[in-house]
Amino acid sequence: MNAPLHLGPERLRVMGDGVELAVYRWGKAGSPVILLVHGYPDSHEVWLPLARLLAADFQVLAYDVRGSGASQIPRETRAYRLAHLANDLEAVIRALSPDRPVHLVAHDWGSIQAWEAVTEPRIEPLLASFTSISGPCLDHVGHWMRARLAARRPRALLQLLGQLLSSWYIAFFHTPWLPEFLWRHGLGRLWPLFLNRLEGVHDPRPGSTQASDGEHGVKLYRANFFARLSRPRERRTRVPVQLIVASRDRYVRPQLFDGLEHWVPNLVRRQTRRGHWQLLLNEPRQLALWLREFIGGLPEAR
């Protein structure tokens, strides 16, 4: 069941919302389809350990999000808005799984943009399920923050303060030119050291486009965060959602998902005592097991 692949993936190109996307496919046609969407500052390479475990039972798709890996890199910040990212995701599904809804799995910024797609009525029918790892819907976060301010209780305000402190890097990424400068001048080479020393990832390796991914991906933050948090929308979905919460995540605190049932009635929540990247890079077998259990338990899989 978990036999690793000995051959590399099939490499494809798909036209997204005005940009060409690099897409990778493992497994065989006719199997249930899993679509993997990576976060920041990663590329599809962060999914390789998981893709190799799932390919025997699924057709696995992964793509480089615009601005990363081998996909095109838009120059303007507005090209990284959530609407464009959701349109890219939709384009990949319609091109490679037009007749079969896919099981969406996303991490970090991949999950943030996946929430945009999952809560879009036009895209919802294309999705059989969604597994979200360490990435909330920004609109849900905006409502979560407003609720804690309105409560005016010490516990609620401490939760809000704690999340704001954990999100210090968002303010840094809004600093003009400095993040890009650091990625171009050494941060890409130091990234494995960061993952090992601070995130507890064993034997990390830099992505083949690590510095470029970090440099251009900061536009994801600049194009979306303040607009969505200050003017949150009502975003609901009927798609079955598996929420995997990493209790030792330094950036996305578990309480950020409190009350998610209000927006997602069909919700399964799992908690793991891991950090932001550990499950993906060090424990892909555990993640593959949870995916098989979740997907196998859906009504259409029985």
Side-chain angles (χ1 to χ4, degrees):
M1 178 180 294
N2 291 335
L5 292 179
H6 298 287
L7 299 176
E10 179 185 5
R11 300 185 182 187
L12 307 163
R13 306 294 293 187
V14 170
M15 180 54 64
D17 186 4
V19 299
E20 193 176 55
L21 303 169
V23 186
Y24 306 84
R25 180 163 59 189
W26 298 259
K28 59 183 179 180
S31 301
V33 181
I34 289 182
L35 175 60
L36 308 173
V37 189
H38 68 82
Y40 175 88
D42 300 315
S43 70
H44 82 281
E45 294 174 8
V46 77
W47 292 114
L48 293 179
L50 179 65
R52 290 166 176 158
L53 293 172
L54 294 174
D57 304 306
F58 299 93
Q59 183 180 171
V60 182
L61 303 174
Y63 68 97
D64 292 325
V65 172
R66 60 173 59 203
S68 67
S71 291
Q72 283 189 306
I73 302 174
R75 297 184 62 181
E76 295 185 345
T77 298
R78 63 186 179 184
Y80 292 80
R81 289 175 181 166
L82 283 169
H84 297 303
L85 299 169
N87 290 344
D88 288 345
L89 192 155
E90 179 186 10
V92 171
I93 297 174
R94 292 193 183 277
L96 299 179
S97 188
D99 302 318
R100 187 169 196 171
V102 306
H103 298 280
L104 184 61
V105 182
H107 173 253
D108 184 80
W109 253 102
S111 187
I112 291 174
Q113 62 191 276
W115 278 111
E116 182 75 8
V118 170
T119 56
E120 178 59 50
R122 182 189 78 253
I123 303 176
E124 190 176 89
L126 306 178
L127 304 171
S129 72
F130 173 38
T131 294
S132 171
I133 310 166
S134 293
C137 172
L138 293 187
D139 294 283
H140 296 167
V141 174
H143 287 292
W144 181 88
M145 294 174 68
R146 289 186 174 198
R148 270 132 193 87
L149 285 172
R152 297 183 180 180
R153 294 194 298 269
R155 182 175 181 272
L157 294 175
L158 284 173
Q159 284 185 339
L160 177 58
L161 177 61
Q163 182 56 55
L164 291 174
L165 291 174
S166 295
S167 302
W168 61 269
Y169 57 94
I170 297 174
F172 172 70
F173 287 152
H174 281 78
T175 305
W177 69 263
L178 182 58
E180 292 92 332
F181 176 86
L182 293 176
W183 279 110
R184 286 195 300 266
H185 294 85
L187 189 52
R189 294 189 300 274
L190 293 174
W191 189 248
L193 183 64
F194 166 82
L195 289 176
N196 178 248
R197 298 290 179 85
L198 294 182
E199 292 299 309
V201 174
H202 306 307
D203 192 28
R205 302 175 187 276
S208 59
T209 53
Q210 190 72 72
S212 176
D213 297 341
E215 175 185 352
H216 298 288
V218 294
K219 294 184 178 70
L220 294 167
Y221 294 86
R222 296 170 183 170
N224 295 293
F225 254 91
F226 292 145
R228 288 278 60 83
L229 295 183
S230 62
R231 298 186 298 275
R233 303 161 296 172
E234 300 279 326
R235 303 295 282 186
R236 305 176 190 275
T237 186
R238 293 170 296 175
V239 174
V241 175
Q242 176 177 219
L243 178 70
I244 298 179
V245 180
S247 63
R248 295 182 178 178
D249 196 320
R250 296 171 178 267
Y251 319 103
V252 183
R253 295 201 172 192
Q255 61 261 28
L256 202 58
F257 300 101
D258 290 350
L260 187 59
E261 296 84 359
H262 175 72
W263 309 104
V264 185
N266 194 348
L267 180 68
V268 173
R269 178 173 176 142
R270 299 183 189 268
Q271 189 148 320
T272 176
R273 292 176 61 83
R274 299 294 180 267
H276 193 75
W277 277 277
Q278 285 177 310
L279 192 62
L280 270 66
L281 296 176
N282 287 159
E283 300 182 34
R285 290 185 182 276
Q286 179 63 71
L287 180 53
L289 176 62
W290 284 342
L291 287 170
R292 286 194 175 91
E293 287 181 356
F294 177 59
I295 293 172
L298 296 174
E300 60 270 24
R302 295 172 184 167

